Amino acid sequence: MSSETAARPQIVVLMGVSGSGKSTVAGILATRLGWDLLEGDDLHPPANIAKMHAGHALTDADRRPWLEAIARWMSGEVTAGRSGLVTCSALKHSYRDILRQAMTGHPEAVLTFVHLTGSRELLQHRLTARMDHFMPPGLLDSQLDTLEAPATDEHDVVSIEIGPPPAEVAAATLTAIQARA
């Protein structure tokens, strides 16, 4: 199911709080599927990164330009007929709606949000062990407080538990997105 052979372009947004394994799972899937991969964090403006690095949570106003940049990338992928994966916390329903707007005018495309979920203890353990990220472990609670679990009207969201090893999480994710293709 590479981007060249997919019947319809697909965009998969791996979402969840920091430490949920978005980048790891997306990397496994990108290799397996041959799809383009955007690390959403790469589109954060320097001011956002500095703010998080200093231990301050982002506001909706901070996040909006970042989400719009991700949406532009998604739209570009679909316009080009390619499938792609993107990592993005997408913590609120309204944030996911900004990303959904990228699919306006692309009825041929399939959008799936994969909500990677796990216990606070597991997430905290992962963040504490991580050395190379600007998001300090102290912001986990603010992300969990901001997170709006997918609502029943969000039919394009599947939830995957992150307790198993990353390869198993990626396999479960692949099964879920193939079911939506």
Side-chain angles (χ1 to χ4, degrees), residues 38-108:
L38 171 68
E39 285 287 345
D41 284 345
D42 291 347
L43 296 184
H44 270 298
N48 283 8
I49 293 171
K51 190 172 185 177
M52 288 183 282
H53 188 70
H56 302 289
L58 297 179
T59 65
D60 289 354
D62 294 328
R63 288 185 176 103
R64 185 161 192 100
W66 170 65
L67 291 164
E68 290 171 344
I70 292 171
R72 282 191 298 277
W73 181 87
M74 292 166 54
S75 180
E77 287 294 291
V78 173
T79 298
R82 293 188 301 263
S83 293
L85 300 148
V86 60
T87 61
C88 175
S89 55
L91 297 174
K92 290 184 177 182
H93 192 295
S94 62
Y95 302 168
R96 296 186 289 275
D97 283 345
I98 291 169
L99 299 177
R100 286 182 181 104
Q101 290 172 5
M103 305 324 265
T104 301
H106 298 289
E108 76 285 5

